[in-house]
Amino acid sequence: MKILDLQNEFRELIAQLRHEVEAASAMGQFDAHKVSENLMCGLLRELCGWSALRNLNTEQSNFPGIDLADDTHRVAIQVTATADIGKVKYTLEQFISHDLHQRYDRLIVYVLTAKQGSYSQTAIESACAGKHQFSAGTDVWDYKEICSKAADAEPHKLQAALNHLKAYLRGVPVGLADEDIDPPSTPAESLTANLVELYFPSALYIARLSVDLVERHGKRKPGLWRKTIREFNQENDSAVPSAYVIHSGNLVSFFDLTDRDNPYKHLIESGTTEAHRPGDYWTIDEDHERVFKSLLRFSLQQRLFKERVRWENDGGEFVFLPLEDGLNQREETWQGEKKAKRTVFARQFNKKDRSKVYLQKHLSFAVEFLLFGDLWFMAITPSWFFSYGAAFKESGFSHDNLSWIKRQENNQQVMNHFRFLSAWLRTIDDEDLFSEKKLTDSFLSFGSALTLGGAPSLEESGWATLPSSSEEDSENPRRMFG
């Protein structure tokens, strides 16, 4: 049915808008937010029937408290990419201090990305000071409310809203874009981002630190908590997994801290454990989101440690080590378009004197955890690490070696590194799933790489690597020792 086609297209474009605004915010580019005011004005005018809705910022720059208003229907709207309670409270305070509550009966805060799972109604009522009725449940909107309006809209209204949305996303009205008149001569491409979707348990456990441990830490800085715990464990001849964080006197982990045999039982006060949904934790504020990202990184560190992939704190990257200390090479088998092997560690020897190590080269990668709406992704950036000695300490020549190799690699080679890493992570996922050991501390799972369709076709023949001499014969020697 035609109406279903319209609804599906609207849903896809609203999702595109949401992700574009999130990406622009992450890059510190806020022009998209201003453009979105006019875009949302047109959409809400069509879908909500607010025919007199207009952008107040075109009449007065930085209009206080609100961006859009319909004086006939007495409704006002704030359009924002900030979803936290602070933004809602500030909007209400501005709305009331400028007596806008006397002109408009309803205020809606529209979040361009995704609103929080919940808001404190008590904090909202405090900001309203009894002068305006604002419900966190019905007056904070995001893409879900606009999609609900689209689902109930008459076909001609939905088509008008869809045309408006297309015009802003493409920059020209429907029918006037080049692709509407002359279809592209080459088919669209799919783009693969360096992102894999991330999955974790549905429960997060929080417990108070033991009194003895708090006393031992004393007046040390919060950033030294892991050092305090390490010293405490050494004295008690014990060790704990790294998959935890300390925040505000609490230990936070995916481990079930209610379990009498949990690995942190000697660090926490008995009977203080609470279980929470992860989303309820990271949406509290930016600080809790930062703490949750740290927990994801430490949980990843704990999992990869079992695979002989070590966290290098100074460089902020994970480094592949040989599967056993005496081995000179490590290869991993992976499945791309076909099954292949990838060397992730190699110890190379001097050609003239095989007793001397020329270099130790490791595949490495940095990660960043990103939240898009309700979905978590892990960005993977492949790199290389160069070491010396049996402890694999970073070589003093590492920077020169890395600079040289980066100049030689082209886009396709870097992309292949990423494809290998994402495939390898899924492989260890499968091993966890079918392992007889049933690892109880393997909390993270990894999805496929994120692929975006509809990109214009590009000619990439000009991206070939520069010609170069071999690593050992280069004019700029990159010897690892002496």
Side-chain angles (χ1 to χ4, degrees), residues 65-363:
I66 56 177
D67 299 308
L68 315 176
D70 184 330
D71 292 344
T72 302
H73 293 88
R74 295 178 63 83
V75 61
I77 301 165
Q78 165 69 217
V79 180
T80 179
T82 305
D84 59 38
I85 185 63
K87 179 63 177 182
V88 176
K89 288 174 59 181
Y90 179 77
T91 297
L92 286 166
E93 291 165 356
Q94 291 290 303
F95 185 73
I96 291 169
S97 66
H98 289 85
D99 293 327
L100 295 173
H101 62 288
Q102 297 180 10
R103 290 174 56 185
Y104 304 106
D105 298 329
R106 187 178 186 188
L107 170 64
I108 294 172
V109 175
Y110 186 89
V111 181
L112 290 165
T113 52
K115 61 184 179 182
Q116 292 183 175
S118 62
Y119 294 87
S120 169
Q121 187 63 36
T122 301
I124 287 173
E125 291 173 357
S126 175
C128 290
K131 297 180 180 180
H132 180 74
Q133 295 295 319
F134 186 95
S135 168
T138 58
D139 294 326
V140 181
W141 288 16
D142 63 7
Y143 66 96
K144 291 185 286 290
E145 280 75 17
I146 203 75
C147 284
S148 177
K149 293 290 184 183
D152 295 333
E154 298 176 2
H156 71 282
K157 288 286 188 181
L158 180 55
Q159 182 68 72
L162 189 56
N163 289 345
H164 183 79
L165 185 54
K166 286 181 178 179
Y168 270 88
L169 289 177
R170 300 197 303 178
V172 293
V174 172
L176 297 182
D178 291 342
E179 57 265 36
D180 293 333
I181 300 169
D182 296 314
S185 57
T186 56
E189 291 185 333
S190 292
L191 299 181
T192 300
N194 68 325
L195 302 173
V196 295
E197 194 163 355
L198 190 67
Y199 308 100
F200 41 77
S202 58
L204 188 68
Y205 295 90
I206 303 173
R208 297 296 298 174
L209 291 170
S210 71
V211 174
D212 291 343
L213 193 59
V214 172
E215 290 179 353
R216 180 186 179 89
H217 188 74
K219 296 182 179 180
R220 276 181 164 180
K221 295 180 179 179
L224 296 176
W225 262 114
R226 297 184 82 88
K227 182 177 182 181
T228 298
I229 291 173
R230 185 167 59 252
E231 294 169 350
F232 184 80
N233 285 333
Q234 288 173 348
E235 290 180 2
N236 291 276
D237 194 26
S238 61
V240 298
S242 62
Y244 72 92
V245 290
I246 304 298
H247 183 245
S248 300
N250 295 316
L251 188 145
V252 185
S253 180
F254 289 120
F255 274 98
D256 184 353
L257 301 181
T258 64
D259 188 336
R260 294 173 57 184
D261 295 324
N262 81 80
Y264 308 110
K265 58 183 180 296
H266 62 295
L267 303 179
I268 59 177
E269 287 292 328
S270 177
T272 64
T273 298
E274 296 180 354
H276 296 270
R277 292 189 308 169
D280 292 339
Y281 185 84
W282 78 63
T283 55
I284 293 175
D285 54 30
E286 290 183 357
D287 185 47
H288 283 76
E289 182 178 325
R290 177 189 58 78
V291 173
F292 187 75
K293 289 180 179 180
S294 293
L295 177 60
L296 292 177
R297 204 269 291 167
F298 282 115
S299 298
L300 179 64
Q301 178 179 331
Q302 171 68 23
R303 178 63 189 91
L304 296 186
F305 177 77
K306 298 177 182 299
E307 303 296 331
R308 293 278 292 179
V309 177
R310 187 176 72 187
W311 170 252
E312 285 291 326
N313 195 59
D314 290 343
E317 60 184 339
F318 291 96
V319 175
F320 282 86
L321 301 182
L323 290 175
E324 296 178 12
D325 286 342
L327 298 180
N328 294 327
Q329 184 169 297
R330 174 178 177 180
E331 288 185 337
E332 293 287 345
T333 301
W334 67 293
Q335 183 71 50
E337 295 178 358
K338 58 182 180 180
K339 184 172 287 189
K341 289 186 177 181
R342 174 62 58 99
T343 299
V344 296
F345 168 79
R347 181 179 286 119
Q348 300 179 19
F349 295 88
N350 188 292
K351 288 182 178 180
K352 297 179 180 179
D353 185 350
R354 299 291 296 176
S355 67
K356 294 182 179 179
V357 175
Y358 172 66
L359 61 78
Q360 295 180 151
K361 180 181 176 183
H362 313 246
L363 182 64

